Amino acid sequence: MDQLGAALRAWRDRLDPATVGFAHGSPRRVPGLRRAELATLAGISVEYVVRLEQGRVATPSAQVCSALARALHLSDDEHAHLLRMAGHAADPARVPRMIPGSLYRIVDQLSGNPLAIYDATWQLLHWNPLFAATFGDPTVRGAGDRNVLVWQFLGELPRVRQTAAERAAFEESLVADLRATTSRYPDDPDVAALVSRLDLSPRFRELWSRRAVGGHQSAHKLVRHPDVGDIVLNSDILTTQDTNLRLVVYTPQPGTDARGQLELLAAIGVQRMSPQKSRPASRPSGGAGYRVVRAVPGSPVAPPDPPGNPAWNA
């Protein structure tokens, strides 16, 4: 067993299952969490946990490491150690991607709103269940495609609707923000690779040539949800001081049905619905008469499902 696998096993053994919601029920042959329980908490497969502990995974992603750190209740120092063992060494020249425990605690307190955490290149690192229910499950695409700039300039946004003026302002703001990131991390190869990839877009090339520098702070969102209709939201961006992580929080537009629609989505999660033939006795605002017909799998760190139509932006 390699160093990473040994550490994962030791951290798993020391965690009391009761503290993370698992009852002691049947007798346990080993202390701490079972592999299946860790897999459930981290949103990965049991087979993947086995491969990690046996040293048969070369470089688990930083996102998987963060999910394991949270599931195992690691300290920030232990989280950083896990990232280093997985080949994601902390480097001041690289864009930070480690989410501190303090930020996770803030996320937990804001669970009534869709929210997501991005790095300085607008790469999606973490999101809550209501974000996935509102914008679509991000795991239907690979981690490399979970980037706001990639979706805005090279993909489609099937749920977010923008006027021409909103789209122009949003794109200008994003590109100016990315330009600022290139000066903060001039030697990060991931930043250079992202700029090169975006160069395929004529619109990006046009904006990039202006060399504007700025920051993306807030935006208005009209989300066209397939089951609950149009959801009108405001998004605000909170940036951490030392790591340039971006916490994006979506709040209902006052005077709309958005709060009731979000409450309905919070109740049903990432699922597909069809209209009920009979009218229910009561229903949340904006979500008239729905029944669940099939659950769609989704987790912040689950392996990608077959390609679909996710949409998310800041």
Side-chain angles (χ1 to χ4, degrees):
M1 186 180 297
D2 68 350
Q3 185 181 10
L4 187 149
L8 288 177
R9 177 62 184 267
W11 288 330
R12 181 163 61 84
D13 286 347
R14 79 180 184 188
L15 189 60
D16 182 355
T19 65
V20 290
F22 291 105
H24 281 290
S26 59
R28 292 175 177 263
R29 293 181 298 173
V30 295
L33 288 182
R34 297 185 175 108
R35 284 171 171 167
E37 292 167 341
L38 175 58
T40 298
L41 291 171
I44 58 180
S45 68
V46 180
E47 292 76 14
Y48 194 72
V49 172
V50 172
R51 289 168 56 205
L52 283 169
E53 292 191 353
Q54 292 178 348
R56 295 189 288 117
V57 179
T59 53
S61 71
Q63 189 175 0
V64 167
C65 290
S66 294
L68 288 167
R70 196 175 192 209
L72 291 165
H73 290 204
L74 301 187
S75 68
D76 287 349
D77 287 339
E78 289 169 335
H79 186 177
H81 181 60
L82 173 59
L83 287 168
R84 288 193 295 270
M85 289 190 295
H88 306 288
D91 183 344
R94 302 294 296 268
V95 171
R97 293 187 171 89
M98 191 188 97
I99 302 173
S102 57
L103 192 53
Y104 279 125
R105 288 193 292 273
I106 294 173
V107 167
D108 290 340
Q109 292 300 313
L110 297 175
S111 60
N113 295 295
L115 55 83
I117 300 173
Y118 301 84
D119 69 15
T121 67
W122 289 102
Q123 179 72 19
L124 181 61
L125 302 177
H126 177 79
W127 59 91
N128 69 353
L130 190 51
F131 176 92
T134 303
F135 292 94
D137 183 3
T139 65
V140 299
R141 295 291 185 185
D145 289 330
R146 298 173 199 163
N147 183 287
V148 175
L149 287 136
V150 169
W151 276 95
Q152 186 70 23
F153 291 102
L154 301 177
E156 297 178 354
L157 298 172
R159 288 193 183 179
V160 176
R161 296 294 179 264
Q162 298 169 311
T163 66
E166 288 171 343
R167 183 181 184 90
F170 183 64
E171 291 176 343
E172 291 169 5
S173 178
L174 280 178
V175 172
D177 189 278
L178 181 61
R179 175 69 75 177
T181 295
T182 63
S183 64
R184 292 189 187 101
Y185 308 99
D187 299 322
D188 190 323
D190 291 341
V191 176
L194 176 61
V195 173
S196 178
R197 182 180 183 185
L198 293 170
D199 195 57
L200 296 171
S201 163
R203 173 62 173 164
F204 176 81
R205 291 199 302 271
E206 173 199 347
L207 295 175
W208 194 247
S209 67
R210 299 180 188 177
R211 295 189 172 273
V213 178
H216 179 53
Q217 300 298 328
S218 61
H220 165 82
K221 299 294 176 199
L222 175 63
V223 181
R224 184 147 294 169
H225 195 279
D227 295 309
V228 303
D230 291 352
I231 311 173
V232 187
L233 302 171
N234 294 320
S235 68
D236 291 283
I237 294 89
L238 309 176
T239 304
T240 60
Q241 185 174 2
D242 297 326
T243 62
N244 287 302
L245 295 174
R246 288 86 188 275
L247 172 62
V248 182
V249 182
Y250 299 87
T251 55
Q253 177 76 31
T256 71
D257 291 333
R259 174 48 66 192
Q261 291 167 305
L262 291 178
E263 289 173 354
L264 175 59
L265 291 176
I268 63 175
V270 184
Q271 304 180 68
R272 291 182 180 178
M273 300 178 293
S274 67
Q276 279 277 36
K277 292 182 179 180
S278 60
R279 181 176 177 176
S282 62
R283 62 196 184 200
S285 173
Y290 292 103
R291 65 182 176 88
V292 175
V293 296
R294 186 172 72 84
V296 178
S299 167
V301 291
D305 297 322
N309 290 314
W312 59 90
N313 64 19

